[in-house]
């Protein structure tokens, strides 16, 4: 009899353990949209401050797609991480292998209390299917299928808070053809329908034109869908100083009505490794963008937590901060203490 009781207790403990794990393995509160804010349970506002990873495919090849990578990002003060999925890497790995990479990252993020943005990392014109570089080449069909797959796979996973539908829309001054805002809207709305019809509650993120900088069309002609947010990438050379009045016109005014997240910001000096237009600047840009975002409740993630891609936040795989790394590590940590 004692053996039976002991056995029953053991089974009960195992079941309790399993239930507890099931409850804690995806227990970050669901993120949704209320007015111009991201909110969690009980409509509690949340402002995101985080970091952009490099492509999980690259990190795996470098041997750094591991929990330590996430632990360091968390220690910098991030509450969200953004995974850029390049279409060519998605095809090269194959759907099954790539999803395993994403699942690993989502699990590490969950364990550390970090939200995740999955970003379809293409640059160009999805309407004409002309792109800035072969690594960004995709089709509308592949893009729709990608989001159908993501929506189904991460349905109910509250760690995966946001889906960034297309990284940087641009017609490249006509080199990539034409695309009007109503035409772009139609494509984005189609993706949102696909995501929602496949059961995902992740917040869709829609970028503006000019390499995801310009959101002015949203003021008069917003996306016809509820519960979404908008994206801008206001790198320093997109405008000249003083930045703030132009930011207000180009994307800041949209944040008065809808949630806005700057999923790429960052800077490097003209002589720094990887320096290129539009990211060349200094700490004055850091001061301006962080103060503007803080004052207006705008979320952001900083590009990029990798020692090869620029503007880089780390110099090496010991995670030594670069110049901008030192700046944003301090900014993230200070914000987290507020």
């Amino acid at each position: 009899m004692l053996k039976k009781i002991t056995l029953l207790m053991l089974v009960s403990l195992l079941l309790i353990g399993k239930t507890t794990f099931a409850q804690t393995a995806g227990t970050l509160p669901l993120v949704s949209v209320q007015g111009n804010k991201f909110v969690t349970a009980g409509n509690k506002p949340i402002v995101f401050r985080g970091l952009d990873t490099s492509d999980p495919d690259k990190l795996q090849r470098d041997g750094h797609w591991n929990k330590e990578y996430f632990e360091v990002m968390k220690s910098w003060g991030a509450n969200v991480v953004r995974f850029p999925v390049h279409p060519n890497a998605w095809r090269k790995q194959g759907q099954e292998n790539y999803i395993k990479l994403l699942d690993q990252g989502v699990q590490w993020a969950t364990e550390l209390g970090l939200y995740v943005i999955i970003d379809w990392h293409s640059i160009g014109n999805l309407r004409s299917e002309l792109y800035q570089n072969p690594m960004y080449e995709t089709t509308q069909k592949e893009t729709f299928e990608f989001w159908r797959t993501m929506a189904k796979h991460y349905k109910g996973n509250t760690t995966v808070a946001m889906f960034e539908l297309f990284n940087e829309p641009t017609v490249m001054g006509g080199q990539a053809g034409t695309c009007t805002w109503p035409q772009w809207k139609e494509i984005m709305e189609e993706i949102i329908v696909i995501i929602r019809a496949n059961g995902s509650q992740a917040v869709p993120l829609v970028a503006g034109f000019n390499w995801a900088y310009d959101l002015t069309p949203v003021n008069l002609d917003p996306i016809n869908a509820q519960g979404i947010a908008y994206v801008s990438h206001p790198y320093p050379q997109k405008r000249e100083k003083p930045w703030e009045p132009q930011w207000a016109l180009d994307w800041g005014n949209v944040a008065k009505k809808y949630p806005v997240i700057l999923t790429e910001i960052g800077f490097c000096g003209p002589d720094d490794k990887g320096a290129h237009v539009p990211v060349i600047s200094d700490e004055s840009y850091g001061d301006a963008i962080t103060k503007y975002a803080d004052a207006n409740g705008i979320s952001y993630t900083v590009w990029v937590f990798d020692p090869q891609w620029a503007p880089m936040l780390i110099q090496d795989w010991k995670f030594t901060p670069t110049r901008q790394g030192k700046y944003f590590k301090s900014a993230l940590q200070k914000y987290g203490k507020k």
Side-chain angles (χ1 to χ4, degrees):
M1 183 68 180
L2 184 61
K3 283 184 179 178
K4 283 186 178 178
I5 292 170
T6 306
L7 185 62
L8 283 168
M9 286 175 67
L10 183 62
V11 170
S12 297
L13 285 168
L14 285 168
L15 286 171
I16 289 167
K18 281 188 177 180
T19 304
T20 304
F21 178 77
Q23 289 172 347
T24 57
T27 54
L28 295 186
L30 176 70
V31 172
S32 59
V33 166
Q34 187 75 33
N36 70 338
K37 293 178 173 62
F38 294 107
V39 297
T40 59
N43 288 334
K44 182 182 178 183
I46 181 169
V47 177
F48 293 103
R49 293 283 180 269
L51 299 166
D52 294 308
T53 73
S54 46
D55 194 305
D57 167 68
K58 177 195 185 293
L59 288 163
Q60 182 198 42
R61 286 185 281 109
D62 289 349
H64 294 285
W65 187 242
N66 53 38
K67 192 171 182 181
E68 181 192 20
Y69 182 75
F70 285 75
E71 288 170 339
V72 177
M73 290 191 288
K74 175 73 172 182
S75 76
W76 277 38
N79 64 0
V80 64
V81 288
R82 174 179 180 252
F83 302 162
V85 180
H86 288 73
N88 70 332
W90 172 254
R91 291 189 296 270
K92 183 181 66 180
Q93 280 274 0
Q95 178 176 309
E96 187 177 342
N97 286 341
Y98 208 112
I99 287 175
K100 284 179 184 174
L101 290 180
L102 292 175
D103 283 348
Q104 288 172 337
V106 169
Q107 180 61 32
W108 294 321
T110 302
E111 291 167 6
L112 293 163
L114 293 164
Y115 284 103
V116 168
I117 301 168
I118 295 176
D119 154 47
W120 187 234
H121 202 78
S122 181
I123 302 177
N125 185 352
L126 186 58
R127 177 177 174 269
S128 65
E129 298 180 354
L130 296 173
Y131 300 96
Q132 186 166 303
N133 182 288
M135 76 176 78
Y136 304 124
E137 288 183 2
T138 185
T139 62
Q140 286 190 32
K141 182 179 186 296
E142 182 182 51
T143 301
F144 293 166
E145 289 283 8
F146 175 81
W147 287 118
R148 180 163 67 166
T149 300
M150 291 297 103
K152 281 183 178 179
H153 187 72
Y154 290 112
K155 178 172 64 175
N157 189 316
T158 53
T159 298
V160 182
M162 290 168 269
F163 287 156
E164 189 165 349
L165 307 186
F166 191 91
N167 170 49
E168 289 190 346
T170 176
V171 296
M172 299 163 54
Q175 294 176 48
T178 60
C179 186
T180 65
W181 178 255
Q183 289 168 333
W184 183 242
K185 251 188 70 173
E186 186 177 357
I187 296 170
M188 294 298 98
E189 288 166 1
E190 185 82 358
I191 296 173
I192 293 165
V193 167
I194 290 167
I195 288 169
R196 299 261 168 84
N198 283 283
S200 174
Q201 291 179 283
V203 177
L205 304 181
V206 176
F209 288 156
N210 188 9
W211 287 268
Y213 174 73
D214 179 14
L215 289 175
T216 53
V218 175
N219 292 307
L220 296 175
D221 193 15
I223 299 293
N224 185 24
Q226 298 299 310
I228 72 156
Y230 292 94
V231 163
S232 182
H233 293 176
Y235 283 116
Q237 291 174 290
K238 300 302 288 190
R239 291 293 194 186
E240 293 182 355
K241 291 182 180 181
W243 290 295
E244 294 86 347
Q246 296 168 98
W247 288 342
L249 293 172
D250 295 338
W251 49 269
N253 286 341
V254 172
K256 293 178 181 177
K257 193 169 183 182
Y258 308 99
V260 168
I261 179 166
L262 314 175
T263 53
E264 290 186 25
I265 60 173
F267 70 89
C268 64
D271 300 321
D272 291 345
K273 180 182 170 186
H276 63 281
V277 175
V279 304
I280 297 167
S281 190
D282 55 25
E283 288 76 5
S284 66
Y285 163 80
D287 288 342
I289 196 68
T290 55
K291 286 176 183 175
Y292 190 88
D294 289 352
N296 292 282
I298 293 171
S299 297
Y300 63 75
T301 56
V302 190
W303 185 269
V304 53
F305 209 67
D306 189 283
Q308 279 94 39
W309 291 8
M312 52 206 62
L313 286 159
I314 51 176
Q315 298 177 33
D316 50 43
W317 285 118
K318 294 178 182 177
F319 303 108
T320 309
T322 59
R323 178 181 176 181
Q324 80 142 347
K326 290 174 186 173
Y327 183 89
F328 284 110
K329 181 180 181 181
S330 174
L332 291 172
Q333 290 178 339
K334 283 178 186 173
Y335 190 84
K337 290 175 183 175
K338 286 182 181 179

